[in-house]
Amino acid sequence: MGSTSFGIPEHRLGSNGEKMPILGFGTAVFPPVGAEATKMAILQSIKLGYRHFDTAAKYGSEQPLGEAIQEALSIGLIQSRDELFITTKLWCGDAHGDLVVPALKRSLQNLKLEYLDLFLIHWPVSCKPGTYEFPIKEENFLPMDFNSIWAAMEECQRLNLTKSIGVSNFSCKKLTDILAIANIPPAVNQVEMNPMWQQKKLREFCRANGIFLTAYSPLGANGTFWGSDRVLECEVLKEIAKAKGKTAAQVSLRWIYEQGVGVIVKSFNGERMKQNLGIFDWSLDEDELKKIDELAQSRGVTGVAYTSKCGPFRTVEDIWDGEM
């Protein structure tokens, strides 16, 4: 495993050996803070050493990320776009075979880039073509045609529009469905994961199949309608943090890293941006890992009983196939 010039470890993705920084900077903000604030936060993160940036067509952050990259190049924070690893995602309304390539081209236009490093299917469901509403109305849901969509994802890679392709929020069963038809297997599966939702079965499956797991909501998505403070207020994590002179957030991030999983952090606060980087020069001991392993488990974003009022999906089972 290599590392960036700022000491962030890198993982070589299985499909082509591309190096992905283990720690990524997330740009999904709920409620939104505005394009200018997003751009300035991204520029600050680049100054601090972040090189992996995670966005999505649905976040509304592709354009400010693109503007931040252009400004970083113009003022010399980076010398080349190649220094960055950029991920974006395919929204459900574009999750149809003939819409995938055009959707990626739109994202590239928003980002002012010629190629992505990683393109993910955002959720394993589709809705009516051209539907970009959120929440998605019940009548607009459609079953996902995995064959045509994954073939189009592979075409994106063959066209050099993206270096790697992958998925997000996919269960073991849905990954199995993709692997059965894939000529290019998914390089990454990005899912909710933290000490309070450890994804043990999915971690084992992805490891066995050469799929790199990446965690979002690593601190429990506190402040969102689906999240809570259950991670940051966990007494076990707080006790470990106190003993080590760290924060509960740093303990959570370090634990994820020690599981061989990538992590997407999201804070526009400068001090917390620095703290989130400070997880690579220390470790958790065997007793601490055992205590975390024994924590009671509860799902966050993918545990919400999704309805038209609070999210895009009707039930958790739509996504996780009963793998609770």
Side-chain angles (χ1 to χ4, degrees):
M1 182 182 292
S3 65
T4 69
S5 58
F6 286 86
I8 299 174
E10 296 175 312
H11 175 82
R12 286 190 179 273
L13 297 179
S15 59
N16 57 16
E18 183 188 13
K19 294 179 180 179
M20 184 179 94
I22 293 286
L23 187 70
F25 188 83
T27 62
V29 185
F30 300 100
V33 297
E36 185 64 20
T38 300
K39 185 184 86 169
M40 296 310 296
I42 293 167
L43 281 169
Q44 185 176 7
S45 73
I46 293 174
K47 291 176 185 175
L48 291 172
Y50 289 90
R51 291 296 181 265
H52 173 184
F53 294 90
D54 182 88
T55 184
K58 198 59 192 167
Y59 294 166
S61 57
E62 288 180 335
Q63 287 184 323
L65 174 55
E67 291 169 5
I69 293 169
Q70 293 302 309
E71 188 164 333
L73 286 164
S74 69
I75 64 178
L77 289 179
I78 54 174
Q79 301 306 308
S80 167
R81 176 265 180 266
D82 296 344
E83 295 176 33
L84 304 178
F85 188 101
I86 308 298
T87 300
T88 195
K89 307 178 191 75
L90 177 78
W91 183 242
C92 307
D94 291 317
H96 304 274
D98 60 336
L99 298 182
V100 174
V101 172
L104 176 48
K105 288 181 176 178
R106 277 199 310 276
S107 288
L108 290 173
Q109 187 175 15
N110 289 337
L111 289 160
K112 300 179 175 66
L113 297 177
E114 295 181 357
Y115 69 91
L116 286 178
D117 295 282
L118 180 62
F119 189 40
L120 304 178
I121 300 174
H122 204 152
W123 292 96
V125 295
S126 298
C127 59
K128 287 182 180 178
T131 302
Y132 301 106
E133 65 194 5
F134 184 85
I136 300 169
K137 295 176 183 175
E138 179 85 12
E139 62 267 23
N140 287 336
F141 278 97
L142 294 170
M144 177 171 273
D145 180 355
F146 289 109
N147 287 48
S148 67
I149 293 170
W150 193 251
M153 293 290 287
E154 293 180 340
E155 182 66 9
C156 289
Q157 185 165 330
R158 280 192 288 269
L159 291 171
N160 296 317
L161 298 174
T162 183
K163 290 186 175 181
S164 297
I165 53 177
V167 297
S168 182
N169 299 300
F170 271 56
S171 64
C172 297
K173 181 181 183 301
K174 286 184 168 64
L175 285 172
T176 300
D177 293 341
I178 291 287
L179 289 169
I181 61 172
N183 294 307
I184 303 172
V188 168
N189 185 21
Q190 186 184 122
V191 299
E192 177 193 7
M193 178 180 159
N194 55 60
M196 312 301 288
W197 188 245
Q198 297 183 10
Q199 297 276 25
K200 292 179 183 179
K201 178 181 177 182
L202 189 59
R203 273 161 40 203
E204 292 171 4
F205 182 92
C206 288
R207 189 178 299 117
N209 286 279
I211 301 169
F212 188 58
L213 201 65
T214 300
Y216 70 76
S217 297
L219 306 180
N222 191 27
T224 65
F225 70 76
W226 63 82
S228 74
D229 61 359
R230 70 192 192 283
V231 175
L232 296 179
E233 293 302 318
C234 172
E235 289 301 322
V236 170
L237 298 180
K238 288 163 72 174
E239 289 171 8
I240 294 172
K242 184 177 180 180
K244 290 194 168 299
K246 304 295 180 183
T247 67
Q250 288 174 315
V251 171
S252 177
L253 297 177
R254 177 69 198 190
W255 175 82
I256 293 170
Y257 170 61
E258 291 194 18
Q259 308 315 303
V261 174
V263 58
I264 304 298
V265 294
K266 198 288 300 172
S267 177
F268 286 5
N269 175 283
E271 188 56 38
R272 287 195 289 273
M273 287 185 201
K274 293 176 187 176
Q275 290 176 357
N276 290 341
L277 288 167
I279 63 169
F280 299 115
D281 59 353
W282 55 280
S283 61
L284 296 164
D285 64 33
E286 188 174 334
D287 183 58
E288 291 163 343
L289 289 169
K290 185 174 184 293
K291 288 178 179 177
I292 295 173
D293 188 64
E294 293 172 349
L295 289 171
Q297 298 293 288
S298 63
R299 204 185 283 276
V301 59
T302 43
V304 174
Y306 287 99
T307 69
S308 60
K309 290 184 179 179
C310 65
F313 307 110
R314 289 156 290 181
T315 66
V316 179
E317 286 74 17
D318 285 345
I319 307 168
W320 289 101
D321 305 300
E323 294 176 10
M324 302 298 288

